[in-house]
Amino acid sequence: MDFLSLFLIDFVKQLQSPTLAFLIGGMIIAALGSELVIPESICTIIVFMLLTKIGLTGGIAIRNSNLTEMVLPMIFAVMVGVLIVFISRFTLANLPKVKVVDALATGGLFGAVSGSTMAAGLTVLEEQKIPYEAWAGALYPFMDIPALVTAIVVANIYLNKKKHSAAAAHSTVQESLSKKAVAAGDYSDEQDYPSNRQEYLSQQQDPGDNRVKIWPIIEESLRGPALSAMLLGLALGILTQPESVYKSFYDPLFRGLLSILMLVMGMEAWSRIGELRKVAQWYVVYSVVAPFLHGLIAFGLGMVAHYATGFSMGGVVILAVIASSSSDISGPPTLRAGIPSANPSAYIGASTAVGTPVAIGLCIPFFIGLAQAIGGMSPLP
Amino acid sequence: MDFLSLFLIDFVKQLQSPTLAFLIGGMIIAALGSELVIPESICTIIVFMLLTKIGLTGGIAIRNSNLTEMVLPMIFAVMVGVLIVFISRFTLANLPKVKVVDALATGGLFGAVSGSTMAAGLTVLEEQKIPYEAWAGALYPFMDIPALVTAIVVANIYLNKKKHSAAAAHSTVQESLSKKAVAAGDYSDEQDYPSNRQEYLSQQQDPGDNRVKIWPIIEESLRGPALSAMLLGLALGILTQPESVYKSFYDPLFRGLLSILMLVMGMEAWSRIGELRKVAQWYVVYSVVAPFLHGLIAFGLGMVAHYATGFSMGGVVILAVIASSSSDISGPPTLRAGIPSANPSAYIGASTAVGTPVAIGLCIPFFIGLAQAIGGMSPLP
Amino acid sequence: MDFLSLFLIDFVKQLQSPTLAFLIGGMIIAALGSELVIPESICTIIVFMLLTKIGLTGGIAIRNSNLTEMVLPMIFAVMVGVLIVFISRFTLANLPKVKVVDALATGGLFGAVSGSTMAAGLTVLEEQKIPYEAWAGALYPFMDIPALVTAIVVANIYLNKKKHSAAAAHSTVQESLSKKAVAAGDYSDEQDYPSNRQEYLSQQQDPGDNRVKIWPIIEESLRGPALSAMLLGLALGILTQPESVYKSFYDPLFRGLLSILMLVMGMEAWSRIGELRKVAQWYVVYSVVAPFLHGLIAFGLGMVAHYATGFSMGGVVILAVIASSSSDISGPPTLRAGIPSANPSAYIGASTAVGTPVAIGLCIPFFIGLAQAIGGMSPLP
């Protein structure tokens, strides 16, 4: 009951935060038929600035970290970020009528990290006087960026494979393919391709024609506007001294520019919210289960680091909290640019409306309790 | 003489303020044939950000106000804002050769509130140690936003009626309409329709064909980009907690973005300044008389609140000052987006070049004197 | 050796500064085939804001200066700024295969002033307790703006003359012109015209047809978007009170917007870096020699002011330092907009990669030493 009231308080607070307020505002004005339009060139530069800032933040955090000290938790953070995307690929994406790109974008968001959830976790640890490494907060880019990159790359591989097999199916129509395959070949790009059918088709085709080369797609994804900007920011943050423009420009403008983009995404989400009618329940189930599952995986890996290198139990909790969090800030613009065909109603709805309240209201107390139960952690005298 | 020198000092200071300086700068570079162009997509996003900020400012002010305490002055503020627009419709708009949309836009600006004029009024009251309610300044959005909305809606109703009767006139040409009506039907959209002729036409037509439905036009106006953005900001300001993006983004960028838009409006105004040749004197007369007239109406309503609910005489003066002020900041971008066919040389010229100096230099001392003469107000001991 | 290590330290620091970091970042992502695109409308508004800010900065500095006191050094600053461009026209531009527009843009950058180089000079003077006039730093816009204006005007005159003689050459083809002239007539606008050939052609043609009227080209240059915005900012800075928008908008956003433009210029530079293969050595020679040459000219003129009006030896050093500096901030956006056909790899490469380290690492100590050798300057007791 206490958990539930915490959950509800956080839920209402989330709704009033500028990020979600502008998103919902966008949905409402779209529903009311507003003629408001944000020009495409403006969206492009906003996305560029947001992603450059996300990269710069990560890069500067990495440059200021003592990497040797944090090497094992860091590797685990990267692993968890990547793993979360693949979990969504093999769970959510396979549920009936759920689109694969939507599931991957959702997985990307749940793999990415929410700065505010992490901050809430750090605050609770400090209130309870539980010690943790000062650099533990710097683990977040190592989970955040790999998760977003993985989601975009896997989605592009999937979309390419789909197009490829659709084309292959078309090209062999005259050779009396089964009725089923013909039907499959008619699926439009917009619609999603049932993944088991696709595999069936893959086996049918000549492997030489059908195999999709993975590496060019990864390269292509990295060259796309979204990942270019983010990786550029990351490299500039690590290798140069961009602090002056970061502090005077990219950082202070971030939330305001995000509010405009959230408005746009709200208007886009409204026009596609109907697609969710038959699958919304799966997103709710995923969004409640995933934060616990991801957090437990990270908690387990954190315990390995605890026994192997003395990583503090407070640090283990932080690793679990950032794994259970889902990005409300860095993720949406990245995924909008990187997987344009994914439905923002699905991934933002799942993440911000359910995932974040679950992570803050339920997972933080759960993982602190778990760590205390294991006993390696106790308040300082 | 003292009034005149105050007026002139304020006039020169106005000319040097960034808002007017960029406006005049735009007119001058347009006159010199500059090839400077601000892209349309940039103007669109600037207008969006300005109007969202205007709405947010109003919404936050309303959320932080104790509405029950200020209910009567608040209702009077709304009434004055709406009334001022209708006054311009029935005075300025009917003067010979004055265009109706220009008159309505001017009325909208004079109904809207100048933050700096209000601040000047508050400063003088404080200097003279005249007490007033702390929330009196929060009355401004209740006059500002209704005036701008009314101006846009009334202008759209007018433009629709005009189009409608022009179309009707055309359709009945074969039925031997009078020569006059045919000529009237040939007026282009750009040109203004003499309003008495239009009424003449309206009576000629079948009422079933000719009646313009008001509600769809109001709906249409509210859905337009200008009012959508302003009302969205208003709703977000009232219902959510947008302070973080307001303080970090919309508020600090406001004046700078406005300077760019004023430059654009200066360039636009230059190209249409010729239209004012034959009517400029009417705008000057209106701009000198209107601040006193509007202020007196508000002063009278304020006195009603004074006797009915104990609204302070200082508050009455503030209500009169915000009524006599004309918007130099929030109004121009709103009207440019909401009534694109109105001539900015007319409404900004009237408001900023004459109306504001009159309001600051003449009306503030006048209403303070009036209140003191009535005697309900005196310096604190 | 000490000079060289100073030079190298400064060189590496330059590479890490946001300006150069984003430039190099742009080159690298262009080389890697990134699909990142900054929309043209965004570049337009960024250039407008940067140039308005540059003008405002100069204008405000001029308004706050006591011009009568600084009249002679001020005139010398203007003279040096203009002269540097003509020096580049008659040296660098005449070197084999060097394009005239690239040379003029480079001259413009070397005539313009680097705020950070000047700041470094002022710091060294203060560290060594060498006195100088408080207004000496305000000399910079008097060199900066004339140099950029001169470069753009001279480049436009050159391009017009070239087009004109090419057209003339074409029109007289039938009258059996020499084979050489015909070939010359086929040069595209993009390619550069060997200047001696052009003069040869000029003499061949009827002078009445061939003379390019200078004044319309100057007028045309001043009306172009680049100089319009800069001169507008200058006028507003001198005549009005734009401090509020300057401090809240144009100044704080400057470096961030510049970082985006530098990224764009880096991508542009990469695509044209091949043009430099055969001429890069000339740019290196120019960039090493020019700072000393320009500084010595300014030093000589400064000595005239020293003996004529008592201009301090510290002031003479400052004049020499701002002459030896080349603009890394105000120049590139101005020249990109004013001379679009010039190759940014040439002028930014010359200025930022060689000119600035030479000016900071070598010229500052050189001119301080020179002033001390002349003896008019000594540390205060």
Side-chain angles (χ1 to χ4, degrees):
Chain A
M1 194 59 199
D2 193 38
F3 272 177
L4 189 64
S5 68
L6 268 173
F7 175 88
L8 284 176
I9 287 167
D10 187 69
F11 182 74
V12 171
K13 216 173 128 195
Q14 280 280 321
L15 289 181
Q16 291 196 316
S17 79
T19 307
L20 207 50
F22 274 83
L23 184 82
I24 294 169
M27 296 177 75
I28 290 171
I29 64 171
L32 296 174
S34 163
E35 286 154 20
L36 185 72
V37 172
I38 305 294
E40 192 48 41
S41 60
I42 301 300
C43 292
T44 306
I45 191 69
I46 289 178
V47 167
F48 166 78
M49 285 181 62
L50 297 178
L51 297 194
T52 303
K53 189 267 176 183
I54 293 165
L56 285 171
T57 308
I60 292 173
I62 290 172
R63 173 156 50 81
N64 293 332
S65 306
N66 186 347
L67 297 186
T68 54
E69 196 183 4
M70 58 198 277
V71 63
L72 201 60
M74 197 178 84
I75 291 170
F76 288 156
V78 174
M79 281 170 57
V80 172
V82 173
L83 188 62
I84 289 172
V85 176
F86 283 98
I87 291 174
S88 73
R89 179 70 185 86
F90 292 109
T91 59
L92 183 58
N94 286 326
L95 290 171
K97 305 207 176 175
V98 170
K99 286 190 184 178
V100 174
V101 285
D102 293 354
L104 284 170
T106 308
L109 269 198
F110 276 78
V113 176
S114 156
S116 52
T117 304
M118 186 175 80
L122 296 177
T123 308
V124 177
L125 285 178
E126 271 155 29
E127 280 169 8
Q128 306 205 0
K129 298 192 194 305
I130 297 166
Y132 59 89
E133 285 81 2
W135 46 260
L139 289 173
Y140 98 87
F142 295 98
M143 193 181 297
D144 198 60
I145 291 173
L148 294 171
V149 171
T150 306
I152 293 172
V153 168
V154 173
N156 279 337
I157 291 173
Y158 165 75
L159 289 167
N160 268 279
K161 271 194 182 153
K162 197 176 79 175
K163 213 194 298 175
H164 200 262
S165 29
H170 271 298
S171 70
T172 50
V173 160
Q174 292 105 321
E175 303 167 30
S176 81
L177 240 158
S178 73
K179 251 183 176 176
K180 258 183 168 175
V182 175
D186 285 330
Y187 276 123
S188 81
D189 250 8
E190 284 298 312
Q191 272 184 299
D192 230 38
Y193 214 73
S195 55
N196 46 355
R197 172 159 307 166
Q198 181 203 356
E199 274 146 32
Y200 163 75
L201 267 173
S202 300
Q203 286 154 9
Q204 292 265 335
Q205 305 303 320
D206 179 79
D209 282 332
N210 197 41
R211 191 168 298 157
V212 171
K213 292 208 183 70
I214 305 282
W215 186 243
I217 299 171
I218 294 178
E219 240 182 45
E220 191 64 27
S221 305
L222 298 178
R223 274 182 193 153
L227 293 185
S228 286
M230 193 164 72
L231 297 175
L232 171 73
L234 191 69
L236 291 175
I238 295 175
L239 300 172
T240 73
Q241 310 267 351
E243 272 83 354
S244 64
V245 290
Y246 180 80
K247 279 182 197 155
S248 70
F249 190 69
Y250 291 99
D251 190 39
L253 294 179
F254 186 79
R255 282 178 178 270
L257 293 173
L258 185 66
S259 74
I260 299 178
L261 195 69
M262 292 312 282
L263 190 74
V264 173
M265 295 183 79
M267 295 191 280
E268 292 173 356
W270 177 256
S271 68
R272 298 186 61 182
I273 207 162
E275 296 176 11
L276 290 187
R277 225 173 343 155
K278 293 179 187 158
V279 296
Q281 75 281 12
W282 300 129
Y283 283 97
V284 173
V285 170
Y286 175 83
S287 308
V288 171
V289 174
F292 285 98
L293 176 64
H294 302 158
L296 281 171
I297 294 169
F299 196 93
L301 291 171
M303 289 306 293
V304 173
H306 176 63
Y307 290 118
T309 67
F311 188 43
S312 74
M313 284 306 285
V316 174
V317 170
I318 291 169
L319 194 65
V321 167
I322 66 180
S324 67
S325 80
S326 55
S327 173
D328 45 353
I329 303 282
S330 65
T334 313
L335 292 168
R336 181 182 180 271
I339 317 180
S341 59
N343 183 349
S345 329
Y347 58 85
I348 301 182
S351 155
T352 323
V354 187
T356 296
V358 167
I360 295 182
L362 304 181
C363 290
I364 291 178
F366 173 75
F367 287 112
I368 289 181
L370 188 63
Q372 282 169 328
I374 290 178
M377 177 171 91
S378 61
L380 289 179
Chain B
M1 194 61 200
D2 194 38
F3 273 180
L4 189 67
S5 68
L6 269 172
F7 175 88
L8 285 176
I9 287 167
D10 187 71
F11 181 75
V12 171
K13 217 173 127 192
Q14 280 280 322
L15 290 180
Q16 292 196 314
S17 79
T19 308
L20 208 49
F22 274 83
L23 184 81
I24 295 171
M27 295 177 76
I28 291 173
I29 65 171
L32 295 175
S34 163
E35 287 154 19
L36 184 71
V37 173
I38 305 293
E40 193 47 41
S41 60
I42 301 299
C43 292
T44 305
I45 190 70
I46 289 178
V47 167
F48 165 78
M49 285 181 63
L50 296 178
L51 297 193
T52 303
K53 188 264 175 185
I54 292 165
L56 286 172
T57 308
I60 292 172
I62 290 171
R63 173 156 48 83
N64 293 331
S65 306
N66 186 346
L67 296 186
T68 54
E69 195 184 4
M70 58 197 277
V71 63
L72 202 59
M74 197 179 83
I75 291 169
F76 288 155
V78 174
M79 281 170 56
V80 173
V82 173
L83 188 61
I84 289 173
V85 175
F86 282 98
I87 292 174
S88 73
R89 179 68 185 87
F90 292 108
T91 60
L92 183 59
N94 287 325
L95 290 171
K97 305 205 174 174
V98 170
K99 287 190 185 177
V100 174
V101 284
D102 294 353
L104 284 169
T106 308
L109 269 198
F110 276 78
V113 176
S114 155
S116 52
T117 304
M118 185 176 82
L122 297 177
T123 308
V124 176
L125 285 177
E126 272 157 28
E127 280 168 8
Q128 306 205 1
K129 299 194 194 301
I130 297 166
Y132 59 89
E133 285 80 3
W135 47 259
L139 290 172
Y140 99 87
F142 294 98
M143 193 180 298
D144 197 62
I145 290 173
L148 294 171
V149 172
T150 306
I152 293 173
V153 169
V154 174
N156 280 337
I157 291 172
Y158 165 75
L159 288 168
N160 269 279
K161 274 193 181 155
K162 198 178 77 173
K163 214 194 295 175
H164 201 262
S165 30
H170 271 298
S171 69
T172 50
V173 161
Q174 290 104 323
E175 304 166 29
S176 80
L177 239 160
S178 73
K179 250 183 175 176
K180 260 183 166 174
V182 175
D186 286 328
Y187 275 123
S188 80
D189 250 8
E190 284 298 310
Q191 270 185 301
D192 229 38
Y193 215 73
S195 54
N196 45 353
R197 172 160 307 169
Q198 182 203 354
E199 274 144 33
Y200 163 76
L201 267 173
S202 301
Q203 287 153 9
Q204 292 265 336
Q205 305 304 319
D206 181 80
D209 283 331
N210 198 39
R211 192 166 299 155
V212 170
K213 293 207 184 71
I214 305 281
W215 186 241
I217 299 171
I218 294 178
E219 241 182 43
E220 189 65 26
S221 304
L222 297 177
R223 274 180 192 154
L227 293 185
S228 286
M230 193 164 72
L231 297 175
L232 171 72
L234 192 68
L236 291 175
I238 295 174
L239 300 173
T240 72
Q241 310 267 353
E243 273 82 354
S244 63
V245 289
Y246 180 79
K247 280 183 196 154
S248 70
F249 190 68
Y250 291 99
D251 190 39
L253 293 180
F254 185 78
R255 284 175 176 270
L257 293 173
L258 185 65
S259 74
I260 298 178
L261 195 69
M262 293 311 282
L263 190 75
V264 173
M265 295 184 79
M267 294 192 279
E268 292 173 358
W270 177 256
S271 68
R272 298 185 61 183
I273 207 162
E275 296 175 10
L276 290 186
R277 224 171 345 152
K278 293 177 187 160
V279 296
Q281 74 282 10
W282 300 128
Y283 283 97
V284 173
V285 170
Y286 174 83
S287 308
V288 171
V289 174
F292 285 97
L293 177 64
H294 302 159
L296 282 170
I297 294 170
F299 194 93
L301 290 170
M303 288 307 293
V304 173
H306 176 65
Y307 290 117
T309 66
F311 187 42
S312 75
M313 285 304 287
V316 175
V317 171
I318 290 169
L319 194 64
V321 168
I322 66 179
S324 67
S325 80
S326 54
S327 172
D328 45 352
I329 302 283
S330 65
T334 313
L335 293 168
R336 180 182 183 270
I339 318 179
S341 60
N343 183 347
S345 328
Y347 57 84
I348 300 182
S351 156
T352 324
V354 187
T356 296
V358 167
I360 295 181
L362 304 180
C363 289
I364 291 177
F366 173 77
F367 287 112
I368 289 181
L370 188 64
Q372 281 169 330
I374 290 176
M377 176 171 92
S378 61
L380 290 178
Chain C
M1 195 58 201
D2 195 36
F3 272 178
L4 189 65
S5 67
L6 269 173
F7 174 89
L8 285 176
I9 287 167
D10 186 71
F11 182 75
V12 171
K13 217 172 128 194
Q14 281 280 322
L15 289 180
Q16 291 195 317
S17 79
T19 309
L20 207 50
F22 274 82
L23 184 83
I24 295 171
M27 296 177 75
I28 290 173
I29 65 172
L32 295 176
S34 162
E35 286 154 20
L36 184 71
V37 172
I38 306 293
E40 191 48 39
S41 61
I42 301 300
C43 291
T44 305
I45 191 69
I46 289 178
V47 166
F48 165 78
M49 286 182 60
L50 296 179
L51 297 193
T52 303
K53 189 267 177 183
I54 293 165
L56 286 171
T57 308
I60 292 172
I62 290 172
R63 174 158 48 82
N64 293 332
S65 306
N66 186 347
L67 296 187
T68 54
E69 196 183 2
M70 58 196 277
V71 63
L72 202 59
M74 197 179 83
I75 291 169
F76 288 155
V78 174
M79 281 170 56
V80 172
V82 173
L83 189 62
I84 288 173
V85 175
F86 283 97
I87 290 174
S88 74
R89 178 69 185 84
F90 292 108
T91 59
L92 183 58
N94 286 324
L95 290 171
K97 305 204 174 175
V98 170
K99 286 190 185 179
V100 174
V101 285
D102 293 354
L104 283 169
T106 307
L109 269 198
F110 276 79
V113 176
S114 155
S116 52
T117 304
M118 186 176 80
L122 296 177
T123 308
V124 176
L125 284 178
E126 273 156 26
E127 279 169 8
Q128 305 205 0
K129 299 193 196 303
I130 297 167
Y132 59 91
E133 286 79 4
W135 46 259
L139 289 172
Y140 98 86
F142 295 98
M143 194 181 297
D144 196 63
I145 291 173
L148 294 170
V149 172
T150 306
I152 293 172
V153 169
V154 173
N156 280 337
I157 291 173
Y158 165 75
L159 289 167
N160 268 279
K161 273 196 180 152
K162 197 176 80 175
K163 215 194 292 175
H164 200 262
S165 27
H170 272 298
S171 69
T172 49
V173 160
Q174 292 105 324
E175 302 167 32
S176 82
L177 240 158
S178 73
K179 251 182 174 174
K180 259 182 167 173
V182 176
D186 286 329
Y187 277 123
S188 80
D189 251 6
E190 283 298 314
Q191 271 186 300
D192 230 37
Y193 214 74
S195 55
N196 45 353
R197 172 159 307 169
Q198 181 202 356
E199 273 145 34
Y200 163 74
L201 268 173
S202 300
Q203 286 154 7
Q204 293 264 335
Q205 305 301 320
D206 180 80
D209 282 332
N210 197 40
R211 192 167 298 155
V212 170
K213 292 209 184 69
I214 305 283
W215 185 241
I217 299 171
I218 294 178
E219 242 181 44
E220 189 64 27
S221 305
L222 297 178
R223 274 180 194 153
L227 292 185
S228 286
M230 193 163 71
L231 297 175
L232 171 73
L234 191 69
L236 291 174
I238 295 174
L239 300 173
T240 74
Q241 310 267 355
E243 273 82 354
S244 63
V245 288
Y246 180 80
K247 279 183 197 154
S248 70
F249 189 68
Y250 292 98
D251 190 39
L253 293 179
F254 186 79
R255 284 177 176 270
L257 293 173
L258 184 66
S259 74
I260 299 178
L261 195 69
M262 293 311 283
L263 189 74
V264 173
M265 294 184 78
M267 295 192 279
E268 292 173 358
W270 176 256
S271 68
R272 297 185 61 184
I273 207 162
E275 296 174 13
L276 290 187
R277 222 173 343 152
K278 292 177 189 163
V279 296
Q281 75 282 11
W282 299 127
Y283 283 97
V284 172
V285 170
Y286 175 83
S287 308
V288 170
V289 174
F292 285 98
L293 177 64
H294 303 157
L296 281 171
I297 294 170
F299 195 93
L301 290 170
M303 289 306 293
V304 173
H306 176 63
Y307 290 117
T309 67
F311 188 43
S312 75
M313 284 305 288
V316 174
V317 170
I318 291 168
L319 195 64
V321 167
I322 65 181
S324 67
S325 80
S326 54
S327 172
D328 45 353
I329 303 282
S330 65
T334 314
L335 293 168
R336 180 180 182 271
I339 317 180
S341 58
N343 184 348
S345 329
Y347 59 84
I348 301 183
S351 157
T352 323
V354 187
T356 295
V358 166
I360 295 182
L362 304 180
C363 290
I364 291 178
F366 174 74
F367 287 112
I368 289 182
L370 188 64
Q372 281 169 328
I374 290 177
M377 177 172 92
S378 60
L380 289 177

